[in-house]
Amino acid sequence: MESGPEAFAGAAFALFGAGLLLWTGVCVRTGAPVAEGVRPAVGTTAALLFGVVFLGAGCWMLALL
């Protein structure tokens, strides 16, 4: 019963992190800005950092099941 919300949260975090990393990679590859009004290096670094953090948190939650 208690693993349901944990599985949902883990899947949501993992999907968001993977999506953010994929989107950042596509933006960097095409030369599109990652974030509006932010220097490209700062936006890319922040997006990569948060993508890895969210993906890691999701995998960690799913590993605890």
Side-chain angles (χ1 to χ4, degrees), residues 5-26:
E6 184 177 356
F8 177 76
F13 274 98
L15 285 173
F16 179 74
L20 184 59
L21 288 173
L22 179 68
W23 175 74
T24 304
V26 169

Side-chain angles (χ1 to χ4, degrees), residues 10-61:
F13 274 98
L15 285 173
F16 179 74
L20 184 59
L21 288 173
L22 179 68
W23 175 74
T24 304
V26 169
C27 285
V28 167
R29 192 170 182 146
T30 60
V34 176
E36 285 288 326
V38 179
R39 288 186 293 152
V42 174
T44 303
T45 304
L48 287 174
L49 175 70
F50 282 110
V52 168
V53 167
F54 276 103
L55 184 60
C59 290
W60 177 70
M61 286 181 196

